[in-house]
Amino acid sequence: MASLFVIQGADQGKRFEFQTTTVALGRDNSNAIRLHDTEVSRRHAELRQDEDSYRLIDLGSANGTYVNGQLVSQAPLHSGDRLQLGSTILLYHEGATRPARDLTARVDLLARSSPEDRSAILKSIPSGEGSRVLRQPEAAAGWLKERLASLSVMYRATQAISHVLEIDALLPQILELVFESINADRGAILLKDEAGQLEPKAVRLTNPDGPDERMTISKTIVDYVLEQGQGVITTDAPADKRFSPAQSIVDYHIREAICVPIQGRHTTLGVLYADIQSGAMVLANGGKDGPRGKFSQDHLMLMVAIGHQAGLAIENTAFYNAKIQAERLAAVGQTIATLSHHIKNILQGIRGGSYLIDMGLNDKDEAIVRRGWTIVEKNQTKIYNLVMDMLSFSKDREPALEPADLNEVVTDVAELMHSRAEELGVKLVTRPCAGMPRVMIDPEGIHRALLNIVTNAIDASEGQPEATVTISTEWVAEMTTARIRVADNGVGIDEADVASIFQIFASSKGSRGTGLGLPVSRKIVAEHGGNITVQSQPGQGATFVIDLPMARKAGPSEMTDGLTMMG
């Protein structure tokens, strides 16, 4: 299945998948791929299947259709191509391609005892030695030292920028590499903005704390590099026939400069510039060949390579950030949709209760008013619990530990849930540990975690014969651990479903549940350095065990799943 991923424009982050023979793109809602871009025509272009791939056809659009920066009326597409319609840029991906011919069956591994194995080891080198030589080429000797010099720079370039995921942090790394490689006095990276205009994004000076120095870059040089796609060394501009005398850079007091394109996969993203402000110039061949400066052809080739490496890194960083943004938008959309569903159900309950209250007041029937108020009150509790769960889950927090009576926390939860248990025909039993010492916990946090688990246990036991939920505490002295056990004889949990019950928004209670309760409980317990284990079999109830070690093992930043399934 082919796809288009929007990396720039009003629909940034959206992915459109398709497998039909013809796919229309445009601003009108009749298009299979609708773009909310005012610069896109109503019916802008079409994708037409061409054997195993697609061909892009412009439909006479007002602003044209571009593939990899080139204006096209039609063009075949390949995975990785960039499509531009108006101000929207999309990345084309072909999906699964025809598999290459499998030649792995032609490889034979000879046994050590095989008479056909005549191999003999002549020399060996540790695997880490290769990277050491690349980091320190001066350690090599002879011809190898010379050949490793530039390769070492590219190796360090890859190491320096491959792990950087923010463009603002990436660009200074590139300039640092330039300064190390060619000993420049000043350097700058200029990238194209959305309008295609160059904008300085990073600057480095040898003495940044000196006077307020202005860095003036010749637009003549920059335009030539962008238009021709070539890196240049400039010395005395009148001696360079590519530039007219009127475009001389001598007035800027630059003796030597290197400017190279920052080249991505398909487009030029900007330029990488470095210069030396002063230094003696040597006339080559008596002055006939012009001045010979500090920058050589090798420096230029190295800078071109760094520019291309930088372009790939910038593109990868932009793609990664676009992907993260798309995932965040998808998560926000899922969260809003799920919460909207639960809030709608709660509001419907409040509306129903309000209707009964209004009817009871009009008829002066206190019984109807009380029935309506009971419904409103229940839904107010639902709103409170939903908001508190959202607050608990929204950020990591250090529990406010204090010496507390765990039995008292359990008793408070039982008293709070007693009326609900009675209403559903469930017997609620508490069995506090007589020898439980005072423990260091966050009483409010543990109260909330336990409340969610007990609520689920009561709901799961509703309608069962002799439905019972038992809350007990235990002090495990050999583990210095306080334990809370919540056991019910409800419907139980399938083994395959145990992992999912702690996932956010996963609820088996339909409109009655938000899918936040158990994830919040797990999070609070994990913040205490504890964990929750589940013992359950379908039809035989479930037991949730909360272990709270008094020697804390982890904070919020080290929080693990804290979930174990026991038979």
Side-chain angles (χ1 to χ4, degrees):
M1 180 179 290
S3 67
L4 286 172
F5 181 54
V6 183
I7 59 176
Q8 180 179 306
D11 299 288
Q12 182 176 358
K14 287 187 178 179
R15 182 183 296 278
F16 302 98
E17 296 183 339
F18 48 89
Q19 53 187 356
T20 54
T21 55
T22 303
V23 183
L25 298 90
R27 200 173 75 249
D28 192 82
N29 59 11
S30 63
N31 294 280
I33 296 179
R34 185 187 181 191
L35 301 174
H36 299 80
D37 182 345
T38 55
E39 297 181 26
V40 172
S41 299
R42 292 185 180 277
R43 285 187 58 80
H44 195 108
E46 274 187 354
L47 292 169
R48 297 177 188 169
Q49 197 161 29
D50 187 5
E51 294 183 358
D52 294 336
S53 186
Y54 280 88
R55 177 175 291 272
L56 180 66
I57 312 292
D58 182 78
L59 300 178
S61 62
N63 293 320
T65 301
Y66 295 80
V67 176
N68 300 328
Q70 300 296 317
L71 180 65
V72 299
S73 59
Q74 60 175 290
L77 296 181
H78 305 91
S79 227
D81 283 348
R82 281 187 173 199
L83 285 59
Q84 182 170 351
L85 287 71
S87 60
T88 299
I89 297 178
L90 309 97
L91 191 67
Y92 174 72
H93 179 64
E94 288 183 351
T97 56
R98 185 177 298 173
R101 186 180 176 189
D102 187 3
L103 301 177
T104 55
R106 297 189 181 185
V107 179
D108 297 318
L109 286 176
L110 296 177
R112 292 189 179 187
S113 58
S114 173
E116 298 178 30
D117 186 2
R118 301 182 180 89
S119 302
I121 297 174
L122 299 179
K123 294 181 180 179
S124 66
I125 185 172
S127 60
E129 188 68 13
S131 60
R132 187 189 69 80
V133 171
L134 284 172
R135 289 193 303 269
Q136 302 172 337
E138 65 278 0
W143 65 270
L144 180 60
K145 178 179 180 180
E146 196 173 307
R147 286 163 175 74
L148 283 176
S150 295
L151 185 60
S152 170
V153 174
M154 297 313 301
Y155 173 78
R156 287 187 290 121
T158 304
Q159 293 294 309
I161 64 182
S162 61
H163 66 282
V164 182
L165 300 178
E166 294 291 338
I167 289 181
D168 289 343
L170 174 66
L171 301 185
Q173 295 263 26
I174 296 170
L175 287 180
E176 174 73 24
L177 193 68
V178 168
F179 269 59
E180 290 182 10
S181 306
I182 64 173
N183 295 320
D185 290 333
R186 307 185 303 178
I189 292 176
L190 295 84
L191 299 180
K192 291 181 180 179
D193 59 17
E194 292 185 0
Q197 301 298 315
L198 284 180
E199 183 180 349
K201 290 294 185 180
V203 174
R204 171 151 180 180
L205 306 174
T206 302
N207 184 21
D209 298 326
D212 187 14
E213 174 187 355
R214 302 295 303 172
M215 186 173 182
T216 309
I217 299 175
S218 169
K219 195 170 186 304
T220 304
I221 299 174
V222 171
D223 287 346
Y224 180 88
V225 169
L226 291 176
E227 290 168 7
Q228 302 298 322
Q230 298 178 4
V232 298
I233 299 176
T234 62
T235 52
D236 188 357
D240 192 329
K241 293 181 172 51
R242 289 172 297 185
F243 309 116
S244 69
Q247 296 171 323
S248 172
I249 59 171
V250 172
D251 292 341
Y252 300 145
H253 307 292
I254 297 172
R255 295 296 180 264
E256 291 184 80
I258 287 184
C259 188
V260 299
I262 296 178
Q263 184 66 45
R265 289 170 178 81
H266 307 294
T267 59
T268 303
L269 306 177
V271 297
L272 176 58
Y273 176 90
D275 68 33
I276 299 173
Q277 290 180 277
S278 61
M281 307 293 284
V282 179
L283 293 179
N285 193 18
K288 295 179 182 179
D289 297 335
R292 182 195 302 153
K294 181 176 179 181
F295 292 148
S296 66
Q297 186 72 13
D298 288 342
H299 287 126
L300 180 59
M301 291 177 65
L302 189 57
M303 281 283 285
V304 168
I306 293 174
H308 186 56
Q309 185 82 2
L312 295 178
I314 291 170
E315 276 192 338
N316 288 341
T317 301
F319 292 158
Y320 175 81
N321 289 334
K323 181 175 180 293
I324 293 297
Q325 179 67 8
E327 290 175 351
R328 285 175 179 167
L329 289 173
V332 168
Q334 180 191 3
T335 302
I336 291 174
T338 306
L339 291 177
S340 297
H341 172 71
H342 295 308
I343 292 170
K344 180 190 72 174
N345 290 332
I346 293 171
L347 290 177
Q348 286 176 344
I350 291 176
R351 179 179 292 181
S354 300
Y355 173 76
L356 287 177
I357 292 174
D358 186 56
M359 186 172 66
L361 290 174
N362 289 334
D363 296 342
K364 297 181 181 180
D365 188 334
E366 186 178 343
I368 295 178
V369 172
R370 288 190 177 279
R371 277 176 53 202
W373 176 247
T374 301
I375 294 172
V376 170
E377 198 171 33
K378 284 181 180 178
N379 283 281
Q380 283 179 338
T381 303
K382 285 184 178 181
I383 289 178
Y384 175 81
N385 289 333
L386 176 62
V387 172
M388 291 304 295
D389 281 340
M390 289 169 60
L391 290 173
S392 297
F393 201 83
S394 63
K395 63 179 181 179
D396 292 333
R397 59 185 289 273
E398 281 289 336
L401 300 178
E402 61 180 71
D405 185 341
L406 188 61
N407 289 338
E408 185 179 329
V409 174
V410 169
T411 302
D412 286 346
V413 171
E415 289 178 354
L416 186 62
M417 297 305 299
H418 182 74
S419 60
R420 177 176 177 81
E422 271 194 346
E423 180 185 345
L424 298 181
V426 178
K427 183 180 180 182
L428 192 56
V429 178
T430 58
R431 292 177 180 166
C433 172
M436 175 68 69
R438 293 180 70 81
V439 292
M440 292 294 292
I441 57 171
D442 180 344
E444 288 189 13
I446 296 301
H447 185 283
R448 176 131 215 94
L450 182 58
L451 181 67
N452 288 333
I453 293 174
V454 172
T455 300
N456 283 351
I458 292 173
D459 289 342
S461 302
E462 180 185 2
Q464 295 295 108
E466 298 183 2
T468 305
V469 172
T470 303
I471 314 171
S472 59
T473 60
E474 178 186 354
W475 174 250
V476 187
E478 62 272 19
M479 298 171 58
T480 322
T481 296
R483 176 172 293 165
I484 307 172
R485 193 184 303 269
V486 180
D488 66 69
N489 60 349
V491 294
I493 309 169
D494 287 330
E495 184 175 354
D497 296 333
V498 169
S500 66
I501 65 175
F502 286 90
Q503 292 177 1
I504 187 169
F505 298 138
S507 175
S508 61
K509 295 191 289 185
S511 62
R512 293 192 303 165
T514 63
L516 280 170
L518 287 179
V520 166
S521 296
R522 182 187 67 174
K523 179 175 180 291
I524 293 171
V525 171
E527 287 170 347
H528 279 74
N531 71 318
I532 302 177
T533 57
V534 184
Q535 301 170 351
S536 181
Q537 290 183 4
Q540 298 184 24
T543 300
F544 285 74
V545 179
I546 301 174
D547 280 337
L548 300 170
M550 291 303 101
R552 291 192 62 203
K553 298 177 183 176
S557 60
E558 308 164 73
M559 191 177 67
T560 60
D561 282 350
L563 170 64
T564 306
M565 178 64 188
M566 301 177 68

